[in-house]
Amino acid sequence: MSQKILKSIQNVPATFIGNNTNWALETISIDSRSLQNGPQTLFFALVGANNDAHQYIKDLIATGVQNFVVTYIPKECEGKANFFVVQNTLIALQQFAANYRSLFNFPIIGLTGSNGKTIVKEWLNFLLSPDYNVIRSPKSYNSQIGVPLSIIAINEQHNLGIFEAGISTRSEMDKLQEIVKPTIGILTNIGTAHDEGFVNTEEKISEKLKLFKHVEVLIYHKNKIIDLIVDSEINLFSWSFNDKSASVFVSKKSVLDKTVLNIEFGQEYYEIKIPFQDEASVENAITCLMVLLYFKYDEKTIQNRMELLYPVEMRLKVKNGINNCSIIDDSYSSDFQSLKIALDFLESQKQYKKKTVILSDIFQSGLSNDELYTRVSQLIVSNKIDRVIGIGETISAFEKKFVNCVSYKTTAEFIAKFNDLNFANETILIKGARTFQFEEIVALLEEKTHETVLEINLNAISDNLNFFKSKLKPNVKIMVMVKAFGYGNGGFEIAKLLEHHKVDYLGVAFADEGILLKSAGIHLPIMVLNPETTSFPAIIQHQLEPEIYSLKGLHAFLKIAEQKQLNQFPIHIKLDTGMHRLGFEDNTIDDLIATLKGNQTVKVKSILSHMATSDNLEFKDFAYAQIDLFEKLSSKLMSELQITPLRHILNTSGISNFQEAQYDMVRLGIGLYGVSNDAEEQKQLENVGTLKSIISQIRTISKGESVGYGRRFIAEKPTKIATIPIGYADGISRGWGNELGFVMIKNAKAYIVGSICMDMLMVDVTDIECLEGDQVIIFGECPTVSYIAKKLNTIPYEILTSVSQRVKRVFYR
């Protein structure tokens, strides 16, 4: 790989500045936080709207990285490494990947569409891997950055590639086409995703079709719009349920829990069974079938393999484990690229210092087993993994390549020895190919709770954070509020992610919240916004930073600070500019100054205030009056005390509505969790939390029969009732019952009937085809917490923070 990387970077227009040309490059990186960076890394210093990786080059050099692609050389790094200086590092990364791709000549399947890309890619890998050494995009790496990183993983042993390409607006696909250069094209379902980036559906399809301008064939679901737009010179291979002119005509019927597809292909007629009934899975399966037909697989092979398709888990999940463990569940895939991603995720989410990896045999690396497990061992070492448990014939044969490793030939053998392994107080990554059935290991290690869960999308939190960062002026810092158990979403896991994103401060309401985070290993500075005087000793002990909002509180803290002989301990001064909740008012500023002047035990780290109406522009004049008063009082403090602390007054709504008052820092709260008071801004935010449960039981009641306490629902006709194991003890307002509220089952609204109980609620599913055990959405994309709050005449904060801690949180990427 070293020579191919070298050749690819040398063909990128760049000015080389450096001394050492004895390169041994084996890997590409864009993440300064990755423990996998080292002497054999070529690091691309990408520049985004809110982050410039050039600022981390000095630290990377200290870790051994010697080769960088940059737009400029930081002054303190001159002469200390090799630099390829380019005009734009993202474009250079894309050019590098395009150069690298051109060094290989084998079939490449390129996929694009609105939905189904990752599922189709994973299924094609399963269907084709018995006959090909497949390289594919890891996870959903289909963006302007993800595609180059996927391509760079190709090596000499691969003979088939499957790569996704995703776009959100115009002019993006041309770049991805140059990188992927697919020989076979697949267009999956075209839906509403990213509609806002295009004038209309036709433009979106036209942009996506640019991926296929040099393919030998395009496989797609026959569609009149596509037929009108697609280049007439492209060979089309289409399928349809209703258009006999398609290359393949399909009819279907449901049999038990399967779908039987009747295929009419030229003069051939046969049946294929697939283990799904939902529309999306059936369509994705047919797309895969089309590839098998194009590759001229025989009928029996197609039938056998298609019937073995399986649900694809596309997410890395963080779960609570037994004996105070944290579990990262990636139990459905085991390839080298996704292992690198999973190990980075482990580092970003580790809750305990001790790290264990349970790893199956790795397939389709394109490397010899000796080279593969040597590289895996190097990854394990660089990520400072304490214990490796290998499962599989091959990894067992290479056990000696790993330090502190025990191996088992089969999953069953591991399970038989499970009780001897003493899992406790550690973070465990479970990474296995599907054939090893590692879900059984997850079940053993996972803490047992009831079936109601709140799923937290960590990608969505990252996206929302970046959205608000994009609104900030240069050098404005950001504090993120993780009080109230992360607005109900979970404290530590979100704090760990925010630390990974290098936010400047975390904010909590009370000292015990901050103590929990510090005790769990969070190193970011944490501000306690409502400290009680009794908590001051604990705040000092755990290096938290108190907000001081009264002379009484200040004197109490100074007394303890003097007793403990503190020096310049950070405090934060709260000013009341109109909220009239907490804070120093205008008439107490002189006393505050007199108390602080000359005092060396504390240091005023910041001055802050809180806006009362930042979310309501009807009170714009009041908001500006608050900002003016804050400017006046804070300036007086700074002048009299001769200090230059951070100043901050804006919360989530203020960030958007009063950008001129960003000062030195802003405080991001509920916006991080995907909630905005502005309808247009709400469209830009990602849903973070989805509260899910299941159907416990279904019964049919007769006309005149009632449901629940107080007989508040009486059936007017025979009615099918489903009971869901979630109630007001889990945080569901009783006011949401009695047919005001609903849940989603099978993408249909099921209205809540009768009173909500402590641990259960009942819904009408008369017109919904559902079974006991089926999934139920309480809130998420629909209904949203904002919708529920509006109906209940409250605010989204209350809906989110009401979700009980007895509801299990599952974090995923």
PDB file of all heavy atoms in Angstrom, residues 256-268:
ATOM      1  N   LEU A 256     -46.997 -16.530   5.182  1.00  0.00           N
ATOM      2  CA  LEU A 256     -46.559 -16.480   6.572  1.00  0.00           C
ATOM      3  C   LEU A 256     -45.720 -15.218   6.788  1.00  0.00           C
ATOM      4  O   LEU A 256     -46.202 -14.121   6.533  1.00  0.00           O
ATOM      5  CB  LEU A 256     -45.787 -17.755   6.929  1.00  0.00           C
ATOM      6  CG  LEU A 256     -46.608 -19.074   6.819  1.00  0.00           C
ATOM      7  CD1 LEU A 256     -45.743 -20.283   7.098  1.00  0.00           C
ATOM      8  CD2 LEU A 256     -47.815 -19.038   7.764  1.00  0.00           C
ATOM      9  N   ASP A 257     -44.471 -15.355   7.222  1.00  0.00           N
ATOM     10  CA  ASP A 257     -43.640 -14.171   7.465  1.00  0.00           C
ATOM     11  C   ASP A 257     -42.672 -13.887   6.317  1.00  0.00           C
ATOM     12  O   ASP A 257     -41.739 -13.116   6.451  1.00  0.00           O
ATOM     13  CB  ASP A 257     -42.850 -14.340   8.758  1.00  0.00           C
ATOM     14  CG  ASP A 257     -41.956 -15.571   8.740  1.00  0.00           C
ATOM     15  OD1 ASP A 257     -42.158 -16.435   7.869  1.00  0.00           O
ATOM     16  OD2 ASP A 257     -41.060 -15.665   9.601  1.00  0.00           O
ATOM     17  N   LYS A 258     -42.921 -14.505   5.168  1.00  0.00           N
ATOM     18  CA  LYS A 258     -42.030 -14.335   4.016  1.00  0.00           C
ATOM     19  C   LYS A 258     -42.785 -13.680   2.857  1.00  0.00           C
ATOM     20  O   LYS A 258     -44.009 -13.551   2.876  1.00  0.00           O
ATOM     21  CB  LYS A 258     -41.469 -15.688   3.561  1.00  0.00           C
ATOM     22  CG  LYS A 258     -40.502 -16.353   4.548  1.00  0.00           C
ATOM     23  CD  LYS A 258     -39.974 -17.647   3.968  1.00  0.00           C
ATOM     24  CE  LYS A 258     -38.820 -18.197   4.804  1.00  0.00           C
ATOM     25  NZ  LYS A 258     -39.187 -18.561   6.158  1.00  0.00           N
ATOM     26  N   THR A 259     -42.018 -13.295   1.837  1.00  0.00           N
ATOM     27  CA  THR A 259     -42.592 -12.809   0.588  1.00  0.00           C
ATOM     28  C   THR A 259     -42.094 -13.712  -0.533  1.00  0.00           C
ATOM     29  O   THR A 259     -40.889 -13.998  -0.619  1.00  0.00           O
ATOM     30  CB  THR A 259     -42.178 -11.353   0.304  1.00  0.00           C
ATOM     31  OG1 THR A 259     -42.663 -10.514   1.353  1.00  0.00           O
ATOM     32  CG2 THR A 259     -42.758 -10.876  -1.025  1.00  0.00           C
ATOM     33  N   VAL A 260     -43.022 -14.160  -1.356  1.00  0.00           N
ATOM     34  CA  VAL A 260     -42.657 -14.967  -2.518  1.00  0.00           C
ATOM     35  C   VAL A 260     -42.666 -14.055  -3.736  1.00  0.00           C
ATOM     36  O   VAL A 260     -43.674 -13.413  -4.045  1.00  0.00           O
ATOM     37  CB  VAL A 260     -43.629 -16.147  -2.716  1.00  0.00           C
ATOM     38  CG1 VAL A 260     -43.277 -16.902  -3.996  1.00  0.00           C
ATOM     39  CG2 VAL A 260     -43.572 -17.082  -1.523  1.00  0.00           C
ATOM     40  N   LEU A 261     -41.521 -13.990  -4.428  1.00  0.00           N
ATOM     41  CA  LEU A 261     -41.393 -13.179  -5.632  1.00  0.00           C
ATOM     42  C   LEU A 261     -41.479 -14.088  -6.851  1.00  0.00           C
ATOM     43  O   LEU A 261     -40.753 -15.083  -6.947  1.00  0.00           O
ATOM     44  CB  LEU A 261     -40.061 -12.443  -5.641  1.00  0.00           C
ATOM     45  CG  LEU A 261     -39.765 -11.503  -4.458  1.00  0.00           C
ATOM     46  CD1 LEU A 261     -38.346 -10.964  -4.567  1.00  0.00           C
ATOM     47  CD2 LEU A 261     -40.770 -10.358  -4.408  1.00  0.00           C
ATOM     48  N   ASN A 262     -42.365 -13.760  -7.751  1.00  0.00           N
ATOM     49  CA  ASN A 262     -42.438 -14.469  -9.033  1.00  0.00           C
ATOM     50  C   ASN A 262     -41.694 -13.639 -10.064  1.00  0.00           C
ATOM     51  O   ASN A 262     -42.060 -12.490 -10.332  1.00  0.00           O
ATOM     52  CB  ASN A 262     -43.894 -14.666  -9.441  1.00  0.00           C
ATOM     53  CG  ASN A 262     -44.599 -15.657  -8.528  1.00  0.00           C
ATOM     54  OD1 ASN A 262     -44.308 -16.837  -8.567  1.00  0.00           O
ATOM     55  ND2 ASN A 262     -45.507 -15.156  -7.686  1.00  0.00           N
ATOM     56  N   ILE A 263     -40.653 -14.223 -10.628  1.00  0.00           N
ATOM     57  CA  ILE A 263     -39.745 -13.499 -11.519  1.00  0.00           C
ATOM     58  C   ILE A 263     -39.986 -13.916 -12.967  1.00  0.00           C
ATOM     59  O   ILE A 263     -39.992 -15.100 -13.290  1.00  0.00           O
ATOM     60  CB  ILE A 263     -38.279 -13.794 -11.134  1.00  0.00           C
ATOM     61  CG1 ILE A 263     -38.047 -13.509  -9.655  1.00  0.00           C
ATOM     62  CG2 ILE A 263     -37.327 -13.013 -12.017  1.00  0.00           C
ATOM     63  CD1 ILE A 263     -38.312 -12.092  -9.233  1.00  0.00           C
ATOM     64  N   GLU A 264     -40.157 -12.911 -13.798  1.00  0.00           N
ATOM     65  CA  GLU A 264     -40.263 -13.143 -15.247  1.00  0.00           C
ATOM     66  C   GLU A 264     -39.115 -12.386 -15.911  1.00  0.00           C
ATOM     67  O   GLU A 264     -39.117 -11.164 -15.994  1.00  0.00           O
ATOM     68  CB  GLU A 264     -41.613 -12.638 -15.743  1.00  0.00           C
ATOM     69  CG  GLU A 264     -41.886 -12.941 -17.202  1.00  0.00           C
ATOM     70  CD  GLU A 264     -43.256 -12.464 -17.643  1.00  0.00           C
ATOM     71  OE1 GLU A 264     -44.171 -12.391 -16.797  1.00  0.00           O
ATOM     72  OE2 GLU A 264     -43.397 -12.126 -18.843  1.00  0.00           O
ATOM     73  N   PHE A 265     -38.116 -13.146 -16.384  1.00  0.00           N
ATOM     74  CA  PHE A 265     -36.899 -12.566 -16.934  1.00  0.00           C
ATOM     75  C   PHE A 265     -36.634 -13.203 -18.290  1.00  0.00           C
ATOM     76  O   PHE A 265     -36.139 -14.318 -18.394  1.00  0.00           O
ATOM     77  CB  PHE A 265     -35.742 -12.815 -15.967  1.00  0.00           C
ATOM     78  CG  PHE A 265     -34.399 -12.343 -16.467  1.00  0.00           C
ATOM     79  CD1 PHE A 265     -34.257 -11.176 -17.214  1.00  0.00           C
ATOM     80  CD2 PHE A 265     -33.243 -13.063 -16.164  1.00  0.00           C
ATOM     81  CE1 PHE A 265     -33.024 -10.756 -17.659  1.00  0.00           C
ATOM     82  CE2 PHE A 265     -31.995 -12.645 -16.608  1.00  0.00           C
ATOM     83  CZ  PHE A 265     -31.889 -11.486 -17.359  1.00  0.00           C
ATOM     84  N   GLY A 266     -36.979 -12.456 -19.350  1.00  0.00           N
ATOM     85  CA  GLY A 266     -36.876 -13.028 -20.696  1.00  0.00           C
ATOM     86  C   GLY A 266     -37.785 -14.238 -20.802  1.00  0.00           C
ATOM     87  O   GLY A 266     -39.000 -14.150 -20.586  1.00  0.00           O
ATOM     88  N   GLN A 267     -37.201 -15.393 -21.092  1.00  0.00           N
ATOM     89  CA  GLN A 267     -37.975 -16.628 -21.201  1.00  0.00           C
ATOM     90  C   GLN A 267     -37.943 -17.440 -19.904  1.00  0.00           C
ATOM     91  O   GLN A 267     -38.457 -18.563 -19.863  1.00  0.00           O
ATOM     92  CB  GLN A 267     -37.419 -17.483 -22.359  1.00  0.00           C
ATOM     93  CG  GLN A 267     -37.441 -16.776 -23.706  1.00  0.00           C
ATOM     94  CD  GLN A 267     -38.854 -16.333 -24.097  1.00  0.00           C
ATOM     95  OE1 GLN A 267     -39.791 -17.131 -24.024  1.00  0.00           O
ATOM     96  NE2 GLN A 267     -38.996 -15.075 -24.477  1.00  0.00           N
ATOM     97  N   GLU A 268     -37.379 -16.873 -18.853  1.00  0.00           N
ATOM     98  CA  GLU A 268     -37.259 -17.616 -17.588  1.00  0.00           C
ATOM     99  C   GLU A 268     -38.344 -17.178 -16.615  1.00  0.00           C
ATOM    100  O   GLU A 268     -38.674 -16.000 -16.503  1.00  0.00           O
ATOM    101  CB  GLU A 268     -35.887 -17.363 -16.963  1.00  0.00           C
ATOM    102  CG  GLU A 268     -34.721 -17.830 -17.831  1.00  0.00           C
ATOM    103  CD  GLU A 268     -33.380 -17.532 -17.171  1.00  0.00           C
ATOM    104  OE1 GLU A 268     -33.288 -17.696 -15.943  1.00  0.00           O
ATOM    105  OE2 GLU A 268     -32.457 -17.117 -17.892  1.00  0.00           O
TER     106      GLU A 268
END
